[in-house]
Amino acid sequence: MRIFISTGEVSGDLQGSLLVTALRQQAQEQNLELELVGLGGEKMAAAGMKLLANTAAIGSVGLTESLRFIIPTWRIQQQVKSYLKTNPIDLLVLIDYMGPNLTIANYLRKTYPNLPILYYIAPQAWVWSPTKRETTQIMAVTDRLLAIFPGEAEFFRHQGLDVTWVGHPLLDRITKEAPSREVARKKLGIDQNQTVITLLPASRIQELRYLLPPICGAAQQLQSQLPNVKLLLPVSLKDYQAQIEQTLKEFNLTVQLLDGKETLTAIACADLAITKSGTVNLEIALLNVPQVILYRVSPLTMAIARRIFKFDLPFVSPTNIVLNRGIMPELLQEQATASNIAQAGLELLLNGDRRATIAQDYQALREALGEPGVCERAAQAVLEFASGRQKSRA
């Protein structure tokens, strides 16, 4: 059985690697010969997938931000089309990464109409899309959806799609891989009583430009008020290292940079995280660390979103979306200033009652994400779907 998996960006590579690992384990238990090939990053390759092209650094949010990736994405899509012409597959699995994935899926739907297509972790168009166009496009190419959020499952099931809710795979990652606070601090040589703030500015290149400077400004202010504070920053992609170091130098900040592989350790030992909006917010929540969440795009992109698409969401972070209430502060666009970030951070660090409420909210969030064993359930559903379609075609 040959399965093609397609995703992009840092978060997609992470989620994909968890699925690849579970698929290989399930195939071994079932004595099934399985070949996994596709688009992703180093994590998926390390998990055992043949990497056709690395898309971990190809991703953006916004109109102007995506322009630089048009040609690289087009080239990869041509490479995929060429590969699939001579290497037939039994199943296409899409993970998030809406624009590029829909292009590939549309091509395959037209060229090989009987090829089964499964979407695992649907793009969050079901949350933010101002029109039904994106939802319609997703449904047009999807035979089955494996949902990770209860709201995602309910939304697409209501639209008439074949949906299975498996839960969120980060539950497995945290359970199996995350160290405790004490172990994380020992590993990094940090005193158990020292105040630690972990900075998580970027998994996309655009976020270094729009989020890293105000985060550094906030860290500067926090250091002036908390002289003994320890700052950590895991670098999600090695390509970002030089730019991060240059920005830290401009702000005269002393920050311990860590390899991206140490992200869970950096979060687990923290008293506070200052972070971009994204999948990492759930990792932070599952490790019970208060967080200030930021979201910024280019002024032009935001102006277009507000004026033309009437962009006005109550929440952008998955931590708040899952429970549909603001359990953690979000600072969006103009609000994401150094002073606002620092003020929000101090409130979370120093207000004991607020931290107690956060702990309760995080527990409710954890319960809403399902039960551990998500990756095994997802892998089993993928293989059963592929096997069923093979038999029906036979």
Side-chain angles (χ1 to χ4, degrees):
M1 183 183 294
R2 180 182 289 125
I3 297 177
F4 193 98
I5 303 175
S6 177
T7 190
E9 304 185 310
V10 172
S11 61
D13 183 33
L14 169 60
Q15 311 282 28
S17 69
L18 298 175
L19 179 63
V20 168
T21 299
L23 283 169
R24 286 169 55 83
Q25 182 177 348
Q26 290 276 338
Q28 185 176 5
E29 293 174 359
Q30 298 176 30
N31 196 27
L32 174 67
E33 187 176 349
L34 182 66
E35 181 182 351
L36 302 174
V37 62
L39 306 178
E42 294 179 1
K43 288 184 175 66
M44 293 176 73
M49 186 184 83
K50 177 184 176 182
L51 200 62
L52 196 63
N54 194 322
T55 55
I58 299 180
S60 62
V61 173
L63 303 174
T64 60
E65 292 85 347
S66 64
L67 295 177
R68 64 183 295 169
F69 297 119
I70 290 177
I71 293 178
T73 299
W74 179 83
R75 287 174 176 165
I76 289 174
Q77 289 170 349
Q78 299 312 303
Q79 185 180 354
V80 170
K81 292 176 183 179
S82 177
Y83 173 84
L84 293 175
K85 285 179 181 178
T86 54
N87 297 273
I89 60 176
D90 298 294
L91 175 67
L92 173 65
V93 176
L94 308 174
I95 301 177
D96 202 355
Y97 205 42
M98 186 173 73
N101 269 347
L102 287 181
T103 299
I104 292 172
N106 280 319
Y107 164 76
L108 289 174
R109 182 59 84 210
K110 294 176 183 177
T111 310
Y112 309 102
N114 294 323
L115 175 70
I117 299 177
L118 182 147
Y119 226 127
Y120 174 53
I121 309 178
Q124 289 193 7
W126 61 276
V127 175
W128 53 256
S129 176
T131 70
K132 293 184 178 180
R133 183 172 64 90
E134 288 83 1
T135 300
T136 302
Q137 289 176 331
I138 293 169
M139 294 184 60
V141 299
T142 303
D143 295 304
R144 177 172 294 180
L145 172 69
L146 300 185
I148 62 172
F149 296 112
E152 173 192 3
E154 181 181 356
F155 175 86
F156 281 104
R157 192 175 289 123
H158 184 71
Q159 304 296 317
L161 196 59
D162 181 7
V163 179
T164 300
W165 178 50
V166 294
H168 205 291
L170 288 185
L171 289 169
D172 293 349
R173 171 168 157 84
I174 298 300
T175 301
K176 297 176 181 179
E177 301 180 27
S180 66
R181 173 188 170 92
E182 292 73 22
V183 170
R185 290 195 168 215
K186 286 181 180 178
K187 184 176 182 180
L188 297 179
I190 299 173
D191 185 272
Q192 296 293 339
N193 296 316
Q194 186 172 14
T195 299
V196 176
I197 300 176
T198 295
L199 312 177
L200 297 151
S203 61
R204 303 180 179 100
I205 189 67
Q206 73 187 65
E207 291 163 339
L208 291 179
R209 177 180 180 184
Y210 296 118
L211 293 180
L212 186 56
I215 286 177
C216 288
Q220 236 180 8
Q221 295 181 31
L222 289 168
Q223 275 190 331
S224 68
Q225 299 182 61
L226 305 166
N228 295 322
V229 71
K230 173 82 171 179
L231 299 177
L232 303 176
L233 195 161
V235 181
S236 58
L237 288 174
K238 293 178 182 178
D239 292 347
Y240 298 166
Q241 180 103 10
Q243 187 172 343
I244 289 172
E245 289 177 345
Q246 177 60 36
T247 305
L248 294 176
K249 184 178 179 181
E250 292 170 2
F251 281 85
N252 194 29
L253 274 177
T254 300
V255 179
Q256 182 177 349
L257 296 183
L258 302 172
D259 188 283
K261 296 176 182 177
E262 300 290 342
T263 297
L264 289 183
T265 302
I267 296 170
C269 71
D271 298 289
L272 171 71
I274 299 176
T275 173
K276 52 157 283 185
S277 173
T279 301
V280 71
N281 302 150
L282 292 176
E283 292 181 306
I284 296 168
L286 291 172
L287 288 169
N288 298 311
V289 176
Q291 56 186 306
V292 180
I293 300 166
L294 314 175
Y295 181 90
R296 288 182 73 180
V297 292
S298 73
L300 177 58
T301 292
M302 184 54 72
I304 293 172
R306 286 170 173 167
R307 295 174 187 175
I308 297 178
F309 296 112
K310 308 301 180 183
F311 178 85
D312 184 24
L313 294 177
F315 309 113
V316 297
S317 165
T319 53
N320 294 334
I321 289 172
V322 171
L323 296 181
N324 197 30
R325 53 190 175 91
I327 67 174
M328 295 309 308
E330 295 181 354
L331 299 176
L332 312 183
Q333 206 64 11
E334 300 87 354
Q335 297 176 334
T337 63
S339 59
N340 285 346
I341 297 168
Q343 183 179 351
L346 281 174
E347 166 71 12
L348 295 178
L349 280 171
L350 303 178
N351 189 325
D353 291 339
R354 181 76 171 92
R355 294 177 72 88
T357 300
I358 290 169
Q360 294 175 357
D361 289 337
Y362 277 173
Q363 180 58 35
L365 174 66
R366 178 185 289 271
E367 293 171 0
L369 293 179
E371 297 291 335
V374 174
C375 296
E376 288 76 9
R377 289 195 294 273
Q380 186 175 3
V382 168
L383 294 177
E384 287 178 354
F385 182 62
S387 298
R389 295 300 291 260
Q390 277 184 329
K391 292 177 182 177
S392 66
R393 290 202 303 270

